[in-house]
Amino acid sequence: MTDIYVIFVLLNDSEMDTPFVYDNHVTGKNFVGRKTECVVLSNLLEAGENVCLYETPKAGKTSLVQQTLYNMRAAGKPFIVAYVDLLSIRSRRMFLKKFGGAVIRAAYSTPSDYSAVISKHLAGTHFVFDPAQFASKEDIVCMNWDPDENDIREMTCLPQRIAEEKGMPVYVVFRDFQNVMQTDDYEVVFKSMEKTLAERDRSASVKSAFIFCGSMVNAMKHIFAEKKYFYRQVNHLPLSPIDDRDAVEHIVRGFRSSGKVIERDLALGACKLFRSEMWYLNQFFSICDSLSKGFINEAILVDALNSMIAVHEPRFKVLVNDLTDHQLSLLRAVLDGVVKFSASDVIERYGLNSSANVRRVKDALRKKEILTFNDKDEPVILDPLFEYWVSKYYFEIQ
C-alpha cells in the first residue's frame, strides 16, 4: 500500500505544499548552486554569443536558463525570449514552422502582426501566414512549398531582424535540439544555419543569440564535439555537479520550513547516492516529507528509496531488456570498476569476444544513452538511480 500511496503522491505533488519541487523548473530560493554558470551564461547572452547545454534529463538545464533570465530581468535588462520545443520534430518543414512560430509569437501578439512580420522579414521565402490555418490550428508559419536552404538561412536570421526592429535582444531556446537529427537531410539544416551564423554582423548594437539545449548527452556530443557542427560559433557550457554542501543545506532548510528535522549525515548519504542531482533529490525528499510527521530517520529514507524504485523500475526494466548479452557484460564490467575494456583479460573475463566487438558495444551503449565517456575515455553511467538499481536488483551485486 505504501508504494501505491507514494506513486499517487508523485502524480499529484503539484497540488501539495512541499518545499521539494521536482515537477517543474525552479528559480529563486528553490534554485540550488550553479551561481557561476548563471553569470557565465548571462555574459555570453549579453555579448550575443550562442550557447549549447547538454546534460542528462532533469539535470537542471531549464532551471539554469530560467534563473539566468530571472537575474537579467531583475538587473533591468530587457529582452525577448522564445522557446522552441523540438520533442516531436521529424521533418525539416516542422522544424522551421516551430522555430518561426515560436520566435514570432514571443515578439508579436496579433494575426495582423504575424502576417506583417512574415511578409517583411521572410520575404522571398516559401513561408506565409495563412489565416485559415491559424484559425484552425494556430499555425503562425505555413509553407507553400518544400523548404530549401534559403528558407533555412532566412529563418535563422529572423531573431536578429526582430531584435533590431524591437530594439532589444531576442534569445531563442531550443529544447531537445538533438531531435533535429531525426529530420530528412539534417546536415543541410546544420550547414545552412552555420553559414548564417558565420555571416552575422557582430558589430550590431542589438544582438540575438541561440541556446541549444539537449537531454541526450551523446547525441549532442555527436553534433557539437564529434562532427563539430557550429564550430567556434557555439560555446559549450557544462553544468558542474551541485556541491554536496549546497544540496544538504537545501534539504535541511526544506524540512525546517515545514517543522521537520533531518540529520545532515542522512541527507549527505542521499546526495552521494543521487550524485546531488536535484530532480532526484527533490523527488526523494518529497516522498520522505509525505511519509513523516517530524523527524526524518533512516527507516523513512529506506521506505522512500523503495518507493522511488517502484516508480522508476518499469523504465529501467525496459532499458535492460533492450540490451544484448555483450552490452550487459560491458555494463557489468563498468559496475566492477573496469575502465580499459580492450585488455585481453577483461575481454576473456566478461566474454566480450574482441577489441572490435568492444568498440561496437561501447558505441551501442552510447547511442542508447546509458553510458557516456569522459575525456579520458572512462565510462560514466548517466543515470545515478539506474546505476543503483542495475547494480543491486539486476546484477545483485552486494
Side-chain angles (χ1 to χ4, degrees), residues 44-49 77-79 159-171 200-209:
L44 288 170
L45 293 177
E46 289 180 48
E49 296 290 338
K77 299 169 183 175
F79 56 83
Q160 180 61 32
R161 291 171 181 167
I162 293 177
E164 292 171 358
E165 180 176 285
K166 292 288 187 177
M168 66 179 71
V170 175
Y171 302 136
R200 63 179 176 161
D201 182 5
R202 291 185 172 273
S203 65
S205 58
V206 179
K207 300 182 179 69
S208 62

PDB file of all heavy atoms in Angstrom, residues 44-49 77-79 159-171 200-209:
ATOM      1  N   LEU A  44      27.533  35.589 -21.739  1.00  0.00           N
ATOM      2  CA  LEU A  44      27.538  35.113 -23.118  1.00  0.00           C
ATOM      3  C   LEU A  44      26.334  35.656 -23.887  1.00  0.00           C
ATOM      4  O   LEU A  44      26.470  36.127 -25.022  1.00  0.00           O
ATOM      5  CB  LEU A  44      27.539  33.578 -23.153  1.00  0.00           C
ATOM      6  CG  LEU A  44      28.843  32.904 -22.733  1.00  0.00           C
ATOM      7  CD1 LEU A  44      28.642  31.400 -22.571  1.00  0.00           C
ATOM      8  CD2 LEU A  44      29.960  33.162 -23.753  1.00  0.00           C
ATOM      9  N   LEU A  45      25.163  35.613 -23.271  1.00  0.00           N
ATOM     10  CA  LEU A  45      23.962  36.103 -23.948  1.00  0.00           C
ATOM     11  C   LEU A  45      24.057  37.599 -24.223  1.00  0.00           C
ATOM     12  O   LEU A  45      23.701  38.064 -25.312  1.00  0.00           O
ATOM     13  CB  LEU A  45      22.728  35.798 -23.106  1.00  0.00           C
ATOM     14  CG  LEU A  45      22.350  34.319 -22.947  1.00  0.00           C
ATOM     15  CD1 LEU A  45      21.150  34.161 -22.030  1.00  0.00           C
ATOM     16  CD2 LEU A  45      22.068  33.676 -24.298  1.00  0.00           C
ATOM     17  N   GLU A  46      24.527  38.351 -23.251  1.00  0.00           N
ATOM     18  CA  GLU A  46      24.634  39.803 -23.438  1.00  0.00           C
ATOM     19  C   GLU A  46      25.617  40.152 -24.545  1.00  0.00           C
ATOM     20  O   GLU A  46      25.481  41.188 -25.208  1.00  0.00           O
ATOM     21  CB  GLU A  46      25.047  40.458 -22.133  1.00  0.00           C
ATOM     22  CG  GLU A  46      23.953  40.460 -21.069  1.00  0.00           C
ATOM     23  CD  GLU A  46      24.407  41.123 -19.780  1.00  0.00           C
ATOM     24  OE1 GLU A  46      24.982  42.224 -19.855  1.00  0.00           O
ATOM     25  OE2 GLU A  46      24.194  40.539 -18.708  1.00  0.00           O
ATOM     26  N   ALA A  47      26.604  39.275 -24.751  1.00  0.00           N
ATOM     27  CA  ALA A  47      27.572  39.500 -25.825  1.00  0.00           C
ATOM     28  C   ALA A  47      27.085  38.966 -27.171  1.00  0.00           C
ATOM     29  O   ALA A  47      27.795  39.072 -28.174  1.00  0.00           O
ATOM     30  CB  ALA A  47      28.907  38.841 -25.462  1.00  0.00           C
ATOM     31  N   GLY A  48      25.876  38.384 -27.194  1.00  0.00           N
ATOM     32  CA  GLY A  48      25.345  37.829 -28.430  1.00  0.00           C
ATOM     33  C   GLY A  48      25.975  36.521 -28.826  1.00  0.00           C
ATOM     34  O   GLY A  48      25.944  36.139 -30.007  1.00  0.00           O
ATOM     35  N   GLU A  49      26.541  35.798 -27.850  1.00  0.00           N
ATOM     36  CA  GLU A  49      27.188  34.515 -28.122  1.00  0.00           C
ATOM     37  C   GLU A  49      26.186  33.370 -27.976  1.00  0.00           C
ATOM     38  O   GLU A  49      25.370  33.355 -27.050  1.00  0.00           O
ATOM     39  CB  GLU A  49      28.357  34.295 -27.160  1.00  0.00           C
ATOM     40  CG  GLU A  49      29.483  35.303 -27.303  1.00  0.00           C
ATOM     41  CD  GLU A  49      30.257  35.133 -28.604  1.00  0.00           C
ATOM     42  OE1 GLU A  49      30.215  34.026 -29.182  1.00  0.00           O
ATOM     43  OE2 GLU A  49      30.889  36.110 -29.050  1.00  0.00           O
ATOM     44  N   LYS A  77      17.557  44.415 -17.489  1.00  0.00           N
ATOM     45  CA  LYS A  77      17.995  44.205 -18.867  1.00  0.00           C
ATOM     46  C   LYS A  77      16.836  43.664 -19.696  1.00  0.00           C
ATOM     47  O   LYS A  77      16.362  42.555 -19.457  1.00  0.00           O
ATOM     48  CB  LYS A  77      19.178  43.231 -18.902  1.00  0.00           C
ATOM     49  CG  LYS A  77      20.384  43.764 -18.138  1.00  0.00           C
ATOM     50  CD  LYS A  77      21.442  42.707 -17.949  1.00  0.00           C
ATOM     51  CE  LYS A  77      22.609  43.256 -17.115  1.00  0.00           C
ATOM     52  NZ  LYS A  77      23.622  42.229 -16.806  1.00  0.00           N
ATOM     53  N   PRO A  78      16.347  44.427 -20.679  1.00  0.00           N
ATOM     54  CA  PRO A  78      15.195  43.986 -21.485  1.00  0.00           C
ATOM     55  C   PRO A  78      15.614  42.982 -22.559  1.00  0.00           C
ATOM     56  O   PRO A  78      16.708  43.069 -23.121  1.00  0.00           O
ATOM     57  CB  PRO A  78      14.693  45.286 -22.114  1.00  0.00           C
ATOM     58  CG  PRO A  78      15.928  46.128 -22.237  1.00  0.00           C
ATOM     59  CD  PRO A  78      16.800  45.777 -21.050  1.00  0.00           C
ATOM     60  N   PHE A  79      14.751  42.046 -22.854  1.00  0.00           N
ATOM     61  CA  PHE A  79      14.998  41.078 -23.924  1.00  0.00           C
ATOM     62  C   PHE A  79      13.702  40.348 -24.223  1.00  0.00           C
ATOM     63  O   PHE A  79      12.730  40.399 -23.455  1.00  0.00           O
ATOM     64  CB  PHE A  79      16.105  40.084 -23.538  1.00  0.00           C
ATOM     65  CG  PHE A  79      15.837  39.337 -22.264  1.00  0.00           C
ATOM     66  CD1 PHE A  79      15.047  38.200 -22.237  1.00  0.00           C
ATOM     67  CD2 PHE A  79      16.383  39.783 -21.066  1.00  0.00           C
ATOM     68  CE1 PHE A  79      14.794  37.526 -21.059  1.00  0.00           C
ATOM     69  CE2 PHE A  79      16.140  39.117 -19.871  1.00  0.00           C
ATOM     70  CZ  PHE A  79      15.343  37.987 -19.869  1.00  0.00           C
ATOM     71  N   PRO A 159      15.446  35.941 -35.807  1.00  0.00           N
ATOM     72  CA  PRO A 159      15.578  36.533 -34.469  1.00  0.00           C
ATOM     73  C   PRO A 159      16.364  37.844 -34.458  1.00  0.00           C
ATOM     74  O   PRO A 159      15.985  38.794 -33.765  1.00  0.00           O
ATOM     75  CB  PRO A 159      16.298  35.435 -33.671  1.00  0.00           C
ATOM     76  CG  PRO A 159      15.957  34.166 -34.377  1.00  0.00           C
ATOM     77  CD  PRO A 159      15.898  34.532 -35.831  1.00  0.00           C
ATOM     78  N   GLN A 160      17.451  37.909 -35.231  1.00  0.00           N
ATOM     79  CA  GLN A 160      18.243  39.137 -35.269  1.00  0.00           C
ATOM     80  C   GLN A 160      17.471  40.278 -35.915  1.00  0.00           C
ATOM     81  O   GLN A 160      17.537  41.424 -35.460  1.00  0.00           O
ATOM     82  CB  GLN A 160      19.553  38.894 -36.012  1.00  0.00           C
ATOM     83  CG  GLN A 160      20.454  40.110 -36.114  1.00  0.00           C
ATOM     84  CD  GLN A 160      20.888  40.649 -34.764  1.00  0.00           C
ATOM     85  OE1 GLN A 160      21.052  39.886 -33.817  1.00  0.00           O
ATOM     86  NE2 GLN A 160      21.047  41.960 -34.667  1.00  0.00           N
ATOM     87  N   ARG A 161      16.701  39.981 -36.959  1.00  0.00           N
ATOM     88  CA  ARG A 161      15.913  41.032 -37.616  1.00  0.00           C
ATOM     89  C   ARG A 161      14.845  41.581 -36.670  1.00  0.00           C
ATOM     90  O   ARG A 161      14.613  42.789 -36.618  1.00  0.00           O
ATOM     91  CB  ARG A 161      15.277  40.473 -38.888  1.00  0.00           C
ATOM     92  CG  ARG A 161      16.289  40.171 -39.981  1.00  0.00           C
ATOM     93  CD  ARG A 161      15.684  39.414 -41.137  1.00  0.00           C
ATOM     94  NE  ARG A 161      16.688  39.129 -42.162  1.00  0.00           N
ATOM     95  CZ  ARG A 161      16.514  38.283 -43.163  1.00  0.00           C
ATOM     96  NH1 ARG A 161      15.360  37.626 -43.290  1.00  0.00           N
ATOM     97  NH2 ARG A 161      17.476  38.082 -44.046  1.00  0.00           N
ATOM     98  N   ILE A 162      14.214  40.681 -35.923  1.00  0.00           N
ATOM     99  CA  ILE A 162      13.203  41.132 -34.957  1.00  0.00           C
ATOM    100  C   ILE A 162      13.871  41.919 -33.826  1.00  0.00           C
ATOM    101  O   ILE A 162      13.338  42.922 -33.348  1.00  0.00           O
ATOM    102  CB  ILE A 162      12.414  39.928 -34.417  1.00  0.00           C
ATOM    103  CG1 ILE A 162      11.567  39.317 -35.531  1.00  0.00           C
ATOM    104  CG2 ILE A 162      11.537  40.343 -33.236  1.00  0.00           C
ATOM    105  CD1 ILE A 162      10.808  38.072 -35.129  1.00  0.00           C
ATOM    106  N   ALA A 163      15.062  41.457 -33.404  1.00  0.00           N
ATOM    107  CA  ALA A 163      15.791  42.164 -32.344  1.00  0.00           C
ATOM    108  C   ALA A 163      16.079  43.605 -32.755  1.00  0.00           C
ATOM    109  O   ALA A 163      15.905  44.554 -31.967  1.00  0.00           O
ATOM    110  CB  ALA A 163      17.090  41.432 -32.027  1.00  0.00           C
ATOM    111  N   GLU A 164      16.504  43.795 -33.997  1.00  0.00           N
ATOM    112  CA  GLU A 164      16.801  45.144 -34.473  1.00  0.00           C
ATOM    113  C   GLU A 164      15.530  45.977 -34.587  1.00  0.00           C
ATOM    114  O   GLU A 164      15.526  47.181 -34.276  1.00  0.00           O
ATOM    115  CB  GLU A 164      17.516  45.063 -35.823  1.00  0.00           C
ATOM    116  CG  GLU A 164      18.926  44.463 -35.701  1.00  0.00           C
ATOM    117  CD  GLU A 164      19.558  44.166 -37.040  1.00  0.00           C
ATOM    118  OE1 GLU A 164      18.882  44.386 -38.073  1.00  0.00           O
ATOM    119  OE2 GLU A 164      20.717  43.695 -37.075  1.00  0.00           O
ATOM    120  N   GLU A 165      14.437  45.356 -34.994  1.00  0.00           N
ATOM    121  CA  GLU A 165      13.170  46.087 -35.105  1.00  0.00           C
ATOM    122  C   GLU A 165      12.643  46.495 -33.742  1.00  0.00           C
ATOM    123  O   GLU A 165      12.139  47.610 -33.562  1.00  0.00           O
ATOM    124  CB  GLU A 165      12.142  45.226 -35.828  1.00  0.00           C
ATOM    125  CG  GLU A 165      10.785  45.882 -35.989  1.00  0.00           C
ATOM    126  CD  GLU A 165       9.842  45.025 -36.806  1.00  0.00           C
ATOM    127  OE1 GLU A 165      10.004  44.962 -38.041  1.00  0.00           O
ATOM    128  OE2 GLU A 165       8.923  44.405 -36.206  1.00  0.00           O
ATOM    129  N   LYS A 166      12.769  45.591 -32.769  1.00  0.00           N
ATOM    130  CA  LYS A 166      12.241  45.843 -31.424  1.00  0.00           C
ATOM    131  C   LYS A 166      13.220  46.623 -30.547  1.00  0.00           C
ATOM    132  O   LYS A 166      12.840  47.135 -29.487  1.00  0.00           O
ATOM    133  CB  LYS A 166      11.906  44.513 -30.740  1.00  0.00           C
ATOM    134  CG  LYS A 166      10.745  43.758 -31.361  1.00  0.00           C
ATOM    135  CD  LYS A 166       9.419  44.435 -31.055  1.00  0.00           C
ATOM    136  CE  LYS A 166       8.240  43.624 -31.518  1.00  0.00           C
ATOM    137  NZ  LYS A 166       6.940  44.246 -31.160  1.00  0.00           N
ATOM    138  N   GLY A 167      14.484  46.669 -30.946  1.00  0.00           N
ATOM    139  CA  GLY A 167      15.475  47.379 -30.156  1.00  0.00           C
ATOM    140  C   GLY A 167      15.871  46.654 -28.891  1.00  0.00           C
ATOM    141  O   GLY A 167      16.324  47.288 -27.925  1.00  0.00           O
ATOM    142  N   MET A 168      15.748  45.330 -28.885  1.00  0.00           N
ATOM    143  CA  MET A 168      16.172  44.536 -27.729  1.00  0.00           C
ATOM    144  C   MET A 168      16.549  43.138 -28.197  1.00  0.00           C
ATOM    145  O   MET A 168      16.060  42.679 -29.234  1.00  0.00           O
ATOM    146  CB  MET A 168      15.073  44.467 -26.665  1.00  0.00           C
ATOM    147  CG  MET A 168      13.814  43.722 -27.068  1.00  0.00           C
ATOM    148  SD  MET A 168      12.577  43.671 -25.734  1.00  0.00           S
ATOM    149  CE  MET A 168      12.043  45.392 -25.732  1.00  0.00           C
ATOM    150  N   PRO A 169      17.443  42.473 -27.460  1.00  0.00           N
ATOM    151  CA  PRO A 169      17.888  41.137 -27.878  1.00  0.00           C
ATOM    152  C   PRO A 169      16.746  40.128 -27.926  1.00  0.00           C
ATOM    153  O   PRO A 169      15.770  40.240 -27.169  1.00  0.00           O
ATOM    154  CB  PRO A 169      18.906  40.745 -26.799  1.00  0.00           C
ATOM    155  CG  PRO A 169      19.290  42.018 -26.132  1.00  0.00           C
ATOM    156  CD  PRO A 169      18.102  42.917 -26.229  1.00  0.00           C
ATOM    157  N   VAL A 170      16.886  39.159 -28.820  1.00  0.00           N
ATOM    158  CA  VAL A 170      15.964  38.026 -28.887  1.00  0.00           C
ATOM    159  C   VAL A 170      16.778  36.761 -28.613  1.00  0.00           C
ATOM    160  O   VAL A 170      17.734  36.470 -29.337  1.00  0.00           O
ATOM    161  CB  VAL A 170      15.271  37.914 -30.261  1.00  0.00           C
ATOM    162  CG1 VAL A 170      14.416  36.653 -30.326  1.00  0.00           C
ATOM    163  CG2 VAL A 170      14.421  39.148 -30.526  1.00  0.00           C
ATOM    164  N   TYR A 171      16.411  36.046 -27.566  1.00  0.00           N
ATOM    165  CA  TYR A 171      17.092  34.804 -27.214  1.00  0.00           C
ATOM    166  C   TYR A 171      16.183  33.631 -27.558  1.00  0.00           C
ATOM    167  O   TYR A 171      15.029  33.573 -27.122  1.00  0.00           O
ATOM    168  CB  TYR A 171      17.444  34.774 -25.733  1.00  0.00           C
ATOM    169  CG  TYR A 171      18.314  35.940 -25.295  1.00  0.00           C
ATOM    170  CD1 TYR A 171      18.047  36.635 -24.108  1.00  0.00           C
ATOM    171  CD2 TYR A 171      19.385  36.358 -26.065  1.00  0.00           C
ATOM    172  CE1 TYR A 171      18.831  37.703 -23.711  1.00  0.00           C
ATOM    173  CE2 TYR A 171      20.180  37.425 -25.683  1.00  0.00           C
ATOM    174  CZ  TYR A 171      19.896  38.099 -24.502  1.00  0.00           C
ATOM    175  OH  TYR A 171      20.667  39.161 -24.114  1.00  0.00           O
ATOM    176  N   ARG A 200      26.881  36.656 -39.651  1.00  0.00           N
ATOM    177  CA  ARG A 200      26.153  37.665 -38.884  1.00  0.00           C
ATOM    178  C   ARG A 200      27.058  38.858 -38.542  1.00  0.00           C
ATOM    179  O   ARG A 200      28.280  38.727 -38.424  1.00  0.00           O
ATOM    180  CB  ARG A 200      25.597  37.058 -37.591  1.00  0.00           C
ATOM    181  CG  ARG A 200      26.653  36.559 -36.628  1.00  0.00           C
ATOM    182  CD  ARG A 200      26.009  36.001 -35.384  1.00  0.00           C
ATOM    183  NE  ARG A 200      27.015  35.428 -34.493  1.00  0.00           N
ATOM    184  CZ  ARG A 200      26.811  35.200 -33.213  1.00  0.00           C
ATOM    185  NH1 ARG A 200      25.643  35.490 -32.679  1.00  0.00           N
ATOM    186  NH2 ARG A 200      27.759  34.679 -32.472  1.00  0.00           N
ATOM    187  N   ASP A 201      26.431  39.996 -38.370  1.00  0.00           N
ATOM    188  CA  ASP A 201      27.140  41.244 -38.089  1.00  0.00           C
ATOM    189  C   ASP A 201      27.408  41.346 -36.586  1.00  0.00           C
ATOM    190  O   ASP A 201      26.506  41.626 -35.795  1.00  0.00           O
ATOM    191  CB  ASP A 201      26.291  42.430 -38.551  1.00  0.00           C
ATOM    192  CG  ASP A 201      26.990  43.762 -38.329  1.00  0.00           C
ATOM    193  OD1 ASP A 201      28.168  43.754 -37.913  1.00  0.00           O
ATOM    194  OD2 ASP A 201      26.345  44.804 -38.558  1.00  0.00           O
ATOM    195  N   ARG A 202      28.637  41.111 -36.187  1.00  0.00           N
ATOM    196  CA  ARG A 202      28.989  41.146 -34.772  1.00  0.00           C
ATOM    197  C   ARG A 202      29.068  42.566 -34.221  1.00  0.00           C
ATOM    198  O   ARG A 202      29.193  42.749 -33.010  1.00  0.00           O
ATOM    199  CB  ARG A 202      30.314  40.422 -34.541  1.00  0.00           C
ATOM    200  CG  ARG A 202      30.226  38.914 -34.759  1.00  0.00           C
ATOM    201  CD  ARG A 202      31.519  38.222 -34.403  1.00  0.00           C
ATOM    202  NE  ARG A 202      31.372  36.776 -34.429  1.00  0.00           N
ATOM    203  CZ  ARG A 202      30.950  36.029 -33.403  1.00  0.00           C
ATOM    204  NH1 ARG A 202      30.633  36.627 -32.273  1.00  0.00           N
ATOM    205  NH2 ARG A 202      30.847  34.731 -33.505  1.00  0.00           N
ATOM    206  N   SER A 203      29.004  43.552 -35.105  1.00  0.00           N
ATOM    207  CA  SER A 203      29.055  44.931 -34.629  1.00  0.00           C
ATOM    208  C   SER A 203      27.659  45.508 -34.369  1.00  0.00           C
ATOM    209  O   SER A 203      27.533  46.666 -33.964  1.00  0.00           O
ATOM    210  CB  SER A 203      29.778  45.810 -35.662  1.00  0.00           C
ATOM    211  OG  SER A 203      29.039  45.874 -36.874  1.00  0.00           O
ATOM    212  N   ALA A 204      26.627  44.706 -34.591  1.00  0.00           N
ATOM    213  CA  ALA A 204      25.255  45.189 -34.391  1.00  0.00           C
ATOM    214  C   ALA A 204      25.068  45.643 -32.947  1.00  0.00           C
ATOM    215  O   ALA A 204      25.578  45.024 -32.005  1.00  0.00           O
ATOM    216  CB  ALA A 204      24.260  44.085 -34.737  1.00  0.00           C
ATOM    217  N   SER A 205      24.334  46.731 -32.772  1.00  0.00           N
ATOM    218  CA  SER A 205      24.133  47.269 -31.419  1.00  0.00           C
ATOM    219  C   SER A 205      23.240  46.381 -30.570  1.00  0.00           C
ATOM    220  O   SER A 205      23.353  46.350 -29.344  1.00  0.00           O
ATOM    221  CB  SER A 205      23.525  48.674 -31.505  1.00  0.00           C
ATOM    222  OG  SER A 205      22.293  48.642 -32.214  1.00  0.00           O
ATOM    223  N   VAL A 206      22.344  45.654 -31.216  1.00  0.00           N
ATOM    224  CA  VAL A 206      21.470  44.711 -30.520  1.00  0.00           C
ATOM    225  C   VAL A 206      21.735  43.324 -31.100  1.00  0.00           C
ATOM    226  O   VAL A 206      21.709  43.149 -32.318  1.00  0.00           O
ATOM    227  CB  VAL A 206      19.981  45.082 -30.700  1.00  0.00           C
ATOM    228  CG1 VAL A 206      19.097  44.069 -29.996  1.00  0.00           C
ATOM    229  CG2 VAL A 206      19.716  46.483 -30.166  1.00  0.00           C
ATOM    230  N   LYS A 207      21.987  42.357 -30.233  1.00  0.00           N
ATOM    231  CA  LYS A 207      22.386  41.032 -30.707  1.00  0.00           C
ATOM    232  C   LYS A 207      21.421  39.962 -30.197  1.00  0.00           C
ATOM    233  O   LYS A 207      21.069  39.940 -29.020  1.00  0.00           O
ATOM    234  CB  LYS A 207      23.796  40.694 -30.237  1.00  0.00           C
ATOM    235  CG  LYS A 207      24.886  41.651 -30.716  1.00  0.00           C
ATOM    236  CD  LYS A 207      26.246  41.195 -30.222  1.00  0.00           C
ATOM    237  CE  LYS A 207      27.349  42.126 -30.713  1.00  0.00           C
ATOM    238  NZ  LYS A 207      27.271  43.454 -30.061  1.00  0.00           N
ATOM    239  N   SER A 208      21.049  39.056 -31.089  1.00  0.00           N
ATOM    240  CA  SER A 208      20.269  37.887 -30.695  1.00  0.00           C
ATOM    241  C   SER A 208      21.226  36.735 -30.409  1.00  0.00           C
ATOM    242  O   SER A 208      22.421  36.806 -30.722  1.00  0.00           O
ATOM    243  CB  SER A 208      19.289  37.499 -31.808  1.00  0.00           C
ATOM    244  OG  SER A 208      20.002  37.138 -32.981  1.00  0.00           O
ATOM    245  N   ALA A 209      20.711  35.664 -29.807  1.00  0.00           N
ATOM    246  CA  ALA A 209      21.555  34.510 -29.505  1.00  0.00           C
ATOM    247  C   ALA A 209      20.684  33.268 -29.389  1.00  0.00           C
ATOM    248  O   ALA A 209      19.497  33.343 -29.065  1.00  0.00           O
ATOM    249  CB  ALA A 209      22.336  34.725 -28.208  1.00  0.00           C
TER     250      ALA A 209
END
